[in-house]
Structures are given as structure tokens and as C-alpha cells.
Amino acid sequence: TDLEVTHWWTSGGEAAAVAELAKAFDATGNKWIDGAIAGSGGTARPIMVSRITGGDPMAATQFNHGRQAEELVEAGLMRDLTDVATRENWKEIVKPSSLLDSCTIDGKIYCAPVNIHSWQWLWLSNAAFEKAGVAVPKNWDEFVAAAPALEAAGIVPLAVGGQPWQAAGAFDVLMVAIAGKDTFYKVFKDKDAEAAAGPEIAKVFKAADDARRMSKGTNVQDWNQATNLVITGKAGGQIMGDWAQGEFALAGQIAGKDYTCLPGLGVNEIISTGGDAFYFPVLKDEEKSKVQDVLAATLLAPETQVAFNLKKGSLPVRGDVDLAAANDCMKKGLEILAAGNVIEGTDQLLSADSQKQKEDLFSEFFANPSMTPEDAQKRFADIIASAD
Amino acid sequence: MTHSVSIKDLSLSFGAVKVLENLNLDIGEGEFLVLLGSSGCGKSTLLNCIAGLLEPTGGRIFIKGRNVTWEEPKDRGIGMVFQSYALYPQMTVEKNLSFGLQVARMPKAEIDRRVGRAAEILQISPFLKRKPSELSGGQRQRVAIGRALVRDVDVFLFDEPLSNLDAKLRSELRVEIKRLHQSLKNTMIYVTHDQIEALTLADRIAIMKSGVIQQLADPNTIYNAPRNMFVAGFIGSPSMNFLHGEIAEREGRLVFTTDGVDFPLDGYRSGETLAAGRKVVLGVRPEHVRVNEDGETHEATVDIEEPMGADNLLWLKLAGHTLSVRVGGARRFAPGTAVRLSFDMALASLFDAGTEERI
Amino acid sequence: MTHSVSIKDLSLSFGAVKVLENLNLDIGEGEFLVLLGSSGCGKSTLLNCIAGLLEPTGGRIFIKGRNVTWEEPKDRGIGMVFQSYALYPQMTVEKNLSFGLQVARMPKAEIDRRVGRAAEILQISPFLKRKPSELSGGQRQRVAIGRALVRDVDVFLFDEPLSNLDAKLRSELRVEIKRLHQSLKNTMIYVTHDQIEALTLADRIAIMKSGVIQQLADPNTIYNAPRNMFVAGFIGSPSMNFLHGEIAEREGRLVFTTDGVDFPLDGYRSGETLAAGRKVVLGVRPEHVRVNEDGETHEATVDIEEPMGADNLLWLKLAGHTLSVRVGGARRFAPGTAVRLSFDMALASLFDAGTEERI
Amino acid sequence: MKDGPALAAARKAGVEPAGRRPRRMLSGRNIMIYGTLFVAAVYYLLPLYVMIVTSIKGMPEIRLGNIFSPPMEITLEPWAKAWASACTGLNCDGLSRGFWNSVRITVPSTLISILIASINGYALANWKFKGADVFFTILIVGAFIPYQVMLYPIVIVLREMGIYGTLTGLVIVHTIFGMPILTLLFRNYFASLPSELFKAARIDGAGFWQIYFRIMLPMSLPIFVVAMILQVTGIWNDFLFGVVFTRPEYYPMTVQLNNIVNSVQGVKEYNVNMAATLLTGAVPLIVYFVSGRLFVRGIAAGAVKG
Amino acid sequence: MTSQADAGRPSRLLRNLSAKIASIPMMLTAVVIFLGGTLWTVVYSFTNSKLLPRLSYVGLDQYERLWAAPRWVVSIQNLAIYGFFTLVFSLVMGFVLAALMDQKIRFENTFRTIFLYPFALSFIVTGLVWQWILNPEFGIQSVVRSLGFTGFTFDPLYDSDIVIYGILIAGLWQGTGLVMCLLLAGLRGIDEDIWKAARVDGIPVWRTYLFIVIPMMRPVFITTLVIIASGIVRVYDLVVAQTSGGPGIASEVPAKYVYDYMFQAQNLGQGFAASTMMLVTVAIIIVPWAYLEFGGRRRG
Ligand SMILES: Nc1ncnc2c1ncn2[C@@H]1O[C@H](COP(=O)(O)OP(=O)(O)OP(=O)(O)O)[C@@H](O)[C@H]1O
Ligand SMILES: Nc1ncnc2c1ncn2[C@@H]1O[C@H](COP(=O)(O)OP(=O)(O)OP(=O)(O)O)[C@@H](O)[C@H]1O
Ligand SMILES: [Mg+2]
Ligand SMILES: [Mg+2]
């Protein structure tokens, strides 16, 4: 049976990873019809949502797990996967369990998480630092200190792409690293506007101000173009999720040798456990509905998980798989994960609406040097105050 | 009595503008009726109502005794010819002629017969395969007439069919339409604002002004005994000369006097008795002014001379009035010449200065 | 001898189409010259050359003795009036009149004076504040004339100024233009294809055909002694009757004979001696046909009668020919009536059948 | 421009008063006119030039040289890749699939939208009924509504009709959004035709449809060309509706183009992007190059009046 | 009206039946889609609908939030700047080009095709190309720098202050051709005698254009204005393709705000409020136009 699967994984590393999913699914005797929509989740999600609400749903679709599909589930448009989950024992195998929690509404499971993505990484180009004549930094502060040398060598210290979510994401990363887990939760989970306006966050904004200065001259839109600047040594580093690894891999670069990764910016080694999940809209076609279960099961199968995540550069959602082939950075991530130093991702904590407002704020902040950190913090606090 | 077309109490408004109001008109079988009036007086509107192209606001229209007020144009037994020809540009002449018949699903043979006949009558057989754009104006208008002809209708409606043609063609085609009427003997209703066409073609002329028929009569009556000053001034080119004055008695004779000049009214046939002192307007047509002939004459000077070939038009100054006078083409008068003139009172008209009606 | 406008060897082509070729024309000071010809014969082209709106391909144009062939229109001392009025629609009448003067930086007082004078002459003073769209056609054309008037030009050029007006207005404005000429005494060149305008207005008429002047003469000559059949047929409405036949001698008298009918040529003033046997065309104007009068007469039947008020137009059948005849409006003939006719040979024209030139 | 010999001689002898000589091709006026047009033409052609040149360069050359330099080595590789093998997600068949989808979308959408709009225009111009103008006014105001505003309601309507995601649905959407401007165009055009033609046809007994098909249609070529050009380019270039109202197997070329251009794999492959861009724009461009003259004439005939 | 006259009178509803039937698609579109859709949008702008429309009214909350959002304010400012300059430049450039084309020039067809072809390209394509030409690293800036002017800076798309003008350049490139076409058609419609009369009057060409021809072309200008204006309000694809609203939010436009908040932020209520505000903008444009077009004509 043919199942149409929509997603926005179109960059090189991502596409290679999707191919693994498709291969695994095709191996069950069915057919994966690829419905890739380029241009990041921002472009793709509206299309997916209108197709689902418009009564022409695909068989499965990617969302960031978290709150993006909440209302669709509430409106009864999504298939209940509890049966498959029970059969496949997802409750046991999915680690950390918060992943499955994000898929659970009223005790029923509605999505199949496929990977763990962590945002908290600083990727550094060894070649760039060599050229600038400074040592590769070990943490954020060293990186900031090295910035002038990089600039002198004609290298953009920090690559930040123009897409709004990159700026917002970078800020979240800075927040975890600098203000710590508790403050992070206070702000994003408890929506504590006072905390958001407090001195801890002010420090984060100071750091963001540094990042803004260092990112001047990036002049690219897409995240992977920014990553490419790091790969080619045109930029010193980039704050980006672990998916950036896929790009390094595709470019044939080796962790530790060609590039360096600093989880938690080398300050505070905590990683978030957001990620991608597949949702399965309710279909009229009986047969397809059955096959949806097959797909769900396949996505979490150990072999699929390994193959997919190796290509994607993300971490598997189950703790019981062997990732011997993983590279240095991935291993670092796995260690942190094993140590339990995890937090939930902002997609899980905030509504899309608040996320969007946050994106607007930070994309403006990063592009507009005349906006003071204090002003930005005030607006940030306002957003948190009205967040849901 | 059956009329070919009979219009009862017809009213029509465009929004708030009343174009026709309670108009009544009966047209006899085989009559050639000309609707004459200046631009915007509602002639086309009336014609469109008869054709069924406009829906009257009130009143009824009968054709051959049948109430057709709400019928479709095609069912009324009428054919219409427009000023702009309104030929279908993408069709050949033949196709133009046969279109209506095809729409009515007439058998092919019958269509051919009728088209052939019409083409022959109108002498357009050589052009049957041409497109309208390849015809001259006169030929186009003939085709347009043919389109009405093939449909074998009872009533022909013409809306200024000759206005777009140049003078020469206009007079040629005018004759042909007259001939057509003489041979077909259909009822024809013909709208124009050209009085020559009206006078030459009509059995009866209806002169309209702002939607009201001013006079309905045969051309001769219209020309020589206009009911009111509007009709009198409208018909005739150059216009009738109007002299404002009053009736007076001079030595037992009634005279018309204006600015100290007296014109005896001998020979004027009035419908009423004329009383001295009545304010009147004397209307004299340019050809009824006698110049340098016998009779009681008055002195005038030639202001302008307009030689027109067959005729010669003079503009004379007489006691502060300007009079147009038509004389033979051979009689020339230089501007400034003094002449003597008198009026042919038998052919003049007197109007009441208040009502402007003919006395 | 100084001419007001003098055209030497003027040629003009649009691409490959030669519209004018080596045209020569001299127009006297204060003369009213009418260019008459059918559509497309190059009248407007010639006028545009004189105005400087078209650049001639060859030849020269002199105005008041000055070679203006390559000068800008505004420097030629000409004013022009167009058929479409060509008023500036968004400006008031006053602005229309004064705009050209303002552009030329004339002092305000002088502008006002001139506009005032023109408005008075043309009787448009009450409309000075109106827009052209609020004027009638006749009023618009007056404004257009005024625009030329204020510029105090030597030569007025008119390109069919009256064609867009209805018959009544046309004849009124015609008189006014004539009066204007009589009072201003400017040189005026007037293009028209209406022969009545030509006959009534012109000091001299130039009849054109495909870019060539056929005859240049005063209206009387043109009307009564047309140089060739084209001119003869072009002027006069209805057209001159043409009878094809030959000259014969009957009992020592020269006669014109056609289809067995003989018309004695007594009284015809020919430029050459007439020889029997020569193939000729006899041209007789409708008003020079005598009906039921004395003299040698021939039998004919009335085909159609067109009463036109002052006149009555008859279409007679005579030995296979159709003749148009103009009689007085009071003389009526029913179709089918037999009548007797003869020609007024003193006013007829004979043309050579080959060259079509007048004999 | 040749002077007669007499005139030339006279000039030489200095007899003639000096007049301005006739204009030559290289007059100041012509230099200004053609100069301005030329400069403008450069502005308009520059992007096309860049697109073409870039699309036939290799990636190394693009990285090194500037965008305006002509290619040192011409390669058709990017075109081939753009057409047949550029990837979006797992599908690596370039634009080729999208091309046929676009054809399948554009042809019926263009035909149906023009048919409906021309009938509307005809009805509005010649068969005015009470209230017709109200609908027309709503329609015209609708021309200004941003598409995004209508997106959601239309999703709902199509869902209720059960044709969401089908080609039919998309055709209807294109018809709807083409309707205001096309109806205006046709109404103005038909209104500019002499009403006597319509009257004559009615007297000849032709009805609503007969007059439309046999009288009006054959007379309306210029305006149909304008409508056709507007619709072909509009529908062919549409991205939003193509992506929102269809499913991936029907995605038009523009969606594919967007995917190719936005699926960055390492460095942006500008040459492939430009080739893809040109390929996508080819159909409307050809339509314009072929029928541009009719377009202007049609605009003059219908759009500007009324 | 006598009763007798009414006897044969067919029902009003049945008259013109074919025309009414034929107009059904139009009526449905007008009422259901344009009117219904608009009303629906306005109604839901007063709710706090998120991903799916829900009728839970929150009064003017969405509007308050909208006008408090810096991004919306920037969007409106951008629209105003972009709109103003697009109108001015496309009319001026379009008219100048049309006037030049009207000079009986040679190669008219070639020039016209050159000016018009960008109109055949989508905004996506236009945006891409211009994004590339304006890219400081290999576009105009780098070319000029490589010619030796190393200080030359021209990077409108990466400078928040002038980014909207970068978009304007592309927008004008795409749209001016059509304006030229419309105005050319208008110019051709001017009676040639007017030109002649003006020449005879000695009015210089530029004055003839300014004081006579342009005022005469008012209807054409209005049509053109409406076409341009409707395009301006909708501008979306161009921005997305060129800058995605960046840098930061410097080139955001209202249509993009609507789209982003409706679909990305999954806050339909906010999106509907923004689109309602756009409708108000449209009304501000269209009402004076309708007045000029219809009100004015009726009086005249
Ligand atoms: N569709 C219409 N809407 C409003 N008023 C109209 C309409 N058609 C005609 N009129 C008005 O009705 C009046 C009569 O018009 P109609 O066309 O019948 O005049 P007419 O006598 O035929 O004039 P003409 O000689 O110019 O053809 C005019 O004042 C005109 O303005
Ligand atoms: N711009 C032009 N290009 C090519 N041919 C032209 C042009 N203008 C006029 N002609 C041709 O030149 C000839 C003379 O035209 P012109 O306008 O002078 O005629 P006209 O005598 O004024 O006719 P009308 O009475 O119709 O105004 C016509 O055959 C016409 O087709
Ligand atoms: Mg009329
Ligand atoms: Mg002419």
C-alpha cells in the first residue's frame, strides 16, 4: 500500500536520512510516497495543516513533537496510536520518557517520535581558528574572546542565518548555558514573566548582544548555508542543533579534526530533547489506516532508528540501540543523555504562537544593532507574560 | 380598423428620466412613417420599444392587432436597420443575411432562395462572399436592409440608416429605400433627424420633441401648415424666417406689422378670425420671399450671399431682422446690394406669440 | 505678385504611397480657398503640410513670401481648426483660448483683451468658464475657431470643421464662418467634402482627386463649366445627369443623339468646333431639365418623386436612362405620370467620351 | 529625404531664406529617445542576462567570477540537472514532473476561467439584470483582497464540497481568483462593442448563447488573447494555491522550483537554480514573446476603456 | 399602467433567465467566496482561534495585540513606503517609457517585449534573481569593487534601513512593463488632432504632456492605479523570495504577517485580525476610487 508522507527534510543530510526511513518502510512491502516540502517547517506546516483540515490528509506527516499538532489531535483529526504503542512497548523503550509524554494527550498516544534533537551545540571550524592564529575555544567565553582575532582574519566569528527560528534558537541555547536549567524552566515552563525580566536573563541578553555583534556579516538565510560557512572556514562557529552534524558529515568532515563541537556551549552540558515525530491523520481508507500502524512501528524499529539517526546526526529515541558507528559529537550527546542532563525543548513548552513571537523578537534583535538588550528583554518578558 | 402598428399610452423611463410618456401612435398597413426630431428626443427609444429591445415602463404595443408588449423581438415580425449597419463583422454577407434564418432552423433551400431574392433586390449578389469590412458604406447598409428583408417581416424599422453615409450615397440610397417601399408595400417606420429624408420618404411624418409627438401629418401639411412654431422651425433648411410683431388694421386691410414695416395679410388662410392688436409671429419660408418682383415691396440690403449651385441663398437685413431668402442659382446679388422684397402670404404661417400655435 | 500662401512642387509620401506629387497652388491675400474632394484624396495631408504638421518629402511652402517649409507650426502665422474640435477637454473655454498665448508669455492684459474680443466675435462669452464637455457641438467648434482667432494669424486652416455637426447647426455655422471671413479678411483655407459648403463659402474651389487638383476656379465656373466629368459629377446634388451618345447632324443642325433620341445643341457654347460622329457625354444638371414646358420635347415617365419642401425631385425614365430633375416644390407628379422634357442646352456640358474633358 | 534639384540649387546660390533642415536620424531628439530606451532596456534585460549566463556556468566559475562575466566554459549540465535530476527530499526527477503537472493545471484552469469570466462579462455588458451590478461590485472589491485572507474560507468550502486536494478543486480556485479582473476586462470589452450588433442579433432571433457563441466570441479575439496571457502566466506562476490546494503528486512546477531552490545541499547551486528558474519561466515567457503584440492591442481594446 | 398591460407580462424572475443562469458562478463566487469569506474572516478575528477556527469571542484583544506588535507596525510602514514609491515610480517610469514608445520609434516591438517580459515571470523568480544581483558577495557590489572601487557599498537586502528599496527595485522591474502597456494604450487613444492643435498653438511637448495629455488620460491612470494598488496590498511572494522579511523584521509586510500568524504561529485569530486590517486598507483605497469612477461619472 502506498502511503504519502510529508516532511520538510530536504537538506542533504536530511534527505539521506529520510531515504533510510523510506527504505525500511518499503521493506515491509508497502511504498513510501515522499512528500517533501522545502523551506523549513515554517513553510511546510501550514500546508500540512490545511491539507489535514481540508479533508485531504496525507498518511503521515512530520511535526516537531510538542504542541504543534495539539489542536489537530483535539479536533479528532489524528489517529490514536495507543494500540501500536502498547504492542511495541513504546513506554518502555522510548528514552527520555518526556518524548512520549509530548505525544500523549488525555492518556492516548498520537505520535511516533523518531529522533531526539538537541539545540545546545556550538560548532566550530578548526581551520578558521588556525587561520586567525588562536586556539580553538573550549567554551563560549573563550569564543567571545577569540572573536576579534577572527574578525581581523576576515572571518565572521558566529554564523547566524536569517531565518527567524535560528536567532530564537540560539538565544534559547544561550539561556540554558548561561542562566541554567532552573531559570529556563521558570521562564518557559512556568511562564514566569518576573524571572524573564530578572537579572539572570539580563546576563543572557548580554551574551546575545555579544553573539549579535559576532554574527554581523553573515548574509545568508538558510541554516545549512550558515553551517556551510563554518565548514568552509568562512565563519568561526555556529550555534545550531545537532542536525548540523549531517552537513559536516556530508561534506566529509571529521569531528575533532576538522571541526569541534561544544555541547551546552561548553558551559553547561545540558541538552534539550526536542525532536521530530510523525503524526498519522485519520484516514477513511481502512487499508491505509492499517498500514499507518505498520509505518509507526517501522519508524521506531531499532535498525531504522540507527540508520536514520546516523544520517541525520540526531540521537535515537530508544536507549537500547547500539550506536557504535556514532562519531565523537554524537557520543558526547549520548553521554549527556545517559547522564540525564536533559531538558525539554521549547517546542514542547511553548505554543507555536509564543514561539513565533519569540522568533520575531530575536530575528529583529539580531538584525538590528540599535535595539538594546534591555529593550529586548522587556519585550521578551511581555511575550512570556502572555504566553500559553 | 386594423393598424399595422399601434402604440397605446406608451411610457418609458431610464431611472428617473422620463423619455416617453403616454405616447399614442397608430400606423396604417403599408404606411411609411417617419419619426423626425432632434437628437435625444426619444426617437430611437420609441423604435427600440416597438422592436422589443427596450421594455416599456407602461402602455401596450400592438403589431397587426396582436399585443406584443412582452414578446421577444424575434416573434414580433419586425426587422430593424441601424445607423451603424450592425453587420456581424466576422461573417460573410451571405452569412449575415442567413444568420437569422439559420437560428430559426429554416430549411437550407428556403434560406438560399430568400437570400438570393434579397441580394437581387438590393443588388448585392456580387458581394455575397465578402466580409462587411470589404464593402463600402452604402453596400454595408444594403446588406443591413437585406437582413431585414430575408426575414419576410411585416414591419421594417429603420434607425437613421443613412446618417453614416456621405451626402452623395445618402441621396442614392434614399431613392432606393423609397423604391423598396413602393415595391414591397411593407409598413416602414423610419427614424431620422434629416428633414430631407423625412420629406422625401414619408407618407406621414411624426415630429417629436422631448418624447412628445408635436405633429403627425403628411409631408405637405407639415411643410406648409406646421401646427406650431417648433414644427415650422424644425422643417425646412434654411429655417423658416420668424418675425415677431402684431396684427393691425390699415385702411380696412389686416396687416402684419413689425418695427414699422407692414405686410398685408391678403391671401392668408387662417383657421380663426384675426383680430387687430393680437401679438403674433409671422413665419415665411426662404423660398416664399419674393425679391425684386412686383407687389407691395420693402427695401432690404443683402448681407451675405451663399450660392449653392442650383439655388442662391441670400441673407437680407430688413428693419433689424435678418431674413434668409432662396432665389434661383442664376440670380446673383453682391453683399451690400439693396433689394426689394415681399412675402407670398398664401404660403406663410401666423403663430400666436403666446401659445406658438398656428392661427 | 505676392501670394498669401504659395505651394511649389509639393510632394509627400507615406512610405511607398505617394499622396501628393508636385502640387502647385497659389492662394491670394484674403482669399477663401476651399479644398474639395472625396475621402482619402489628400486634402488633410495638404493642409497639414501647410500647417507644418507633416514634413513634405519635396517642394517648398511660402507664407507671405517667406519660405516656411522647415519651420515649426507656431512660427508660420497659421491657425487651424479640426473636425474633432481638438479642444483641451480638462480646461475651461477661457483656458483653451488663452493657453497658447500664456505659453508664448504674452502679458496678461493682452491675453484678456484678445480672448474677450474672440469670445465676442464668436458669441461664446457666456461659456468662458465652462468645460468643453458642457458645450454643444456648435459651441465647441466656435471655441476651436476662437483658438485660432486669438493668435492673430495670417492664415486660417479649417479641416472639415463642420462635419461633426448636424445639418441645422452646420448651415448656421457656415454662415458665421462666411461672416467671419467677410469681417476679418484673413486668408482661409478650408477642407471639406461637402459641396454645399464649398459652393457657398469659397472665393475659389480646388477640386482634388488622388492628390491632384482637377480644377481651381470660382464656384460659378466650377458649377457651370466643369473642366471634366469628375468635377461635373462631383459637384451638384443630385449629380449631373450624364448621357452617353454622339454628335450628329440632323438637317444641318448639330444634335446630341443617344438611343434614338435627339437633343439639338442650339445654344451650347463650346470651346472647340463640334464635329458630327464624335463620341461625347452630355451632362445636364437636374435643374436644367425643363418639364412640361415649351420647346422640342421628349416623352418620359416619372419613376420616383421626392418632394423636399422647397423643391421637388423627380426621377424620370427616358429611353432607358434615369434622369434626375428638379422642379419647384409646388409642382407634384405622381409616379407613373408621363411628362415631356427638354434640356437647357445653354447650361449643359459636353464631354469628350475618351478624355472626359469638357468640350 | 531628397531635395528637388531646383531647391538644392537655389539653396546653394543663397537665394532661399535659411530654413531649418529636415531631421536626420541622428538628431538630438532621437539620441535622447533611443538613449533612454536603451538604458531602460539594459535594466530590464540585466536579470535575464544574469540568469542565462549563470545557468550555463559551472559552479567553480560562479564561485570565482562575478555574475555578469560571460561564461568561460559553457555547460548544459545545470539545465539537465534542473530538468531531470535535482532533488527534493527523495524525489530526484527535477522539474520534469512539475512541468506536466503545471500543464495539467494551467490548461483547464485557463480555459474554464476564461470561459466563465467571458460569459459573466457578456451577461453584465449585454443582459444586465437587476442586481447584477451588486455582484459585480463585490467581485471587483474582491480583486483587492489579499489571497491569504481567503485561504481559510476556501479550504472550508472545498472541504465541504469534497474536492479539496483534487485538480478540480485547484481549477475552481484559479477560476475564482481570476474572475474579478477577467470579468472586468470582458465586461469593458463587450460594452465597447456597438450595442446595435447585439440588438440586431436579438432581432434575428438569436438567444443568449447563440449571440455569445456566434456573434460575440468571434469578435473578441484581442481580449481573449489578453485574458489568455494573463491567466497562463498567472496560473503557471502560482505557488500558493498549487501548494495549499493540491497534494504532492499534483504539485506544479513552481513548487518544484521552490523546492529545488530552497533545498540547499551544501552550497547553493546557483547555476542549477537559474536553469530551473528559466525553465519554469519559459512557458509564460514564450507566450509573451509570441503574443506580446496582441496583448498590447487587446489592452487598448478592452482594458483601458470603461 | 393598466391591469390589461400587466396581463401578458412575464414574471420578473424568469426574464433574462439564461443570463441569470449563466451568472450563477459569478454570483456564487461573489457572495459565497468574496463576501462570505470576508465576513467569516472578520467574525473570526474577534475570537481566539488557534490552529482551528473556534467561535470563542475575545473582543478586540487580537487587534490590541496586533497594533502592539512591533512587527505589524513595521509591516505597515513598509507597505506604506513600498506602496508610495511603487506608485510613483511605476507611474513615472511607465509613463516616460510609454511616451517614448509613442514617438513612432523603430524596433517598437522589441522594446515593448523587453519591458514587458518580466511581467511574465513570477514574483518568486523575480525575487530570486534580484536577490542574487543585489547580493553583496557576487552581485553588483562585488562587481563594482572588483573594478577597483573597493569602498563601494551596495547591499540593500542586507541593510535594514534600505532593504525595502531593494525589494522595490525588483518590484518595479516586474511591474512597470504592464503599466507602460496600459499607459501606451491610453496614449494611443488620444485624438491625434489634440497633438496637432497643441503644436499649432506652439505649446512645447512637455507642456502638452503635462497639461493636456495626462489630464485627458485620467481614466487610464485610474485603471492603472487600481491595478498597481491591488498588487501592492498583496505583496508577499516577492518579499519571501528576496529576504523572507529580513534582515530581522526590516522588510516584513502585512500579507506575510497574516500568513505567518495564521499558519506558522497557528494563531488564526491574530491572522484574521491582521487580514481584517488589510481589508480596511483596501477599503481606504477602493472607496475613493469607486467614488471617482462611478460617483464622478454619474454627476458628469
Ligand atoms: N440607456 C439609457 N440610460 C439612460 N438614459 C438614456 C438611455 N438611452 C437613452 N437615454 C436618454 O433618453 C433620451 C432619448 O434617447 P434616444 O436615443 O431615444 O434619442 P434619439 O432621439 O434617438 O436621439 P439621436 O438622434 O441622437 O439618436 C436621451 O435624452 C438619452 O439621454
Ligand atoms: N499616417 C499615414 N500613413 C500612411 N498613409 C496615410 C497616413 N495618413 C494618411 N494616409 C493616406 O493618405 C491618403 C490621403 O489622406 P488624407 O487624410 O489627406 O485624406 P483626406 O482627403 O483628408 O480624406 P478625408 O476626407 O477622409 O479626411 C489616404 O489614402 C490615406 O490612406
Ligand atoms: Mg437615436
Ligand atoms: Mg481629412
Side-chain angles (χ1 to χ4, degrees), chain D residues 29 34 43-44 48 54 68 120 127 143-146 149-150 156 237 270 277 288-289 293 296 304 306, chain E residues 16 26 33 40 103 106 109 112-113 117 119-120 122 125 132 143 169 173 176 220 226 234 275 282 286 297:
Chain D
R29 177 174 167 274
Y34 287 98
Y43 167 57
Y44 283 96
L48 187 66
T54 307
F68 301 111
N120 286 342
W127 295 85
F144 286 82
I145 301 175
V149 177
M150 307 305 304
I156 294 174
N237 285 335
Y270 284 107
T277 304
Y288 263 78
F289 285 133
R293 191 199 303 242
V296 178
V304 166
Chain E
N16 262 354
M26 178 185 77
I33 305 292
W40 191 89
Q103 303 299 312
R106 288 180 190 218
N109 281 333
R112 196 197 44 237
T113 311
Y117 87 89
F119 187 65
S122 62
V125 170
W132 212 46
V143 171
I169 292 177
W173 179 78
T176 315
V220 184
V226 167
R234 282 191 188 151
S275 46
V282 167
I286 229 181
R297 193 177 295 170

Side-chain angles (χ1 to χ4, degrees), chain B residues 28-62:
Chain B
E29 191 64 49
E31 182 171 1
F32 198 121
L33 183 98
V34 172
L35 289 170
L36 182 65
S38 52
S39 195
C41 71
K43 305 181 297 293
S44 301
T45 306
L46 176 56
L47 210 62
N48 281 328
C49 284
I50 298 174
L53 295 169
L54 277 176
E55 208 172 85
T57 329
R60 284 160 299 157
I61 297 167
F62 297 85

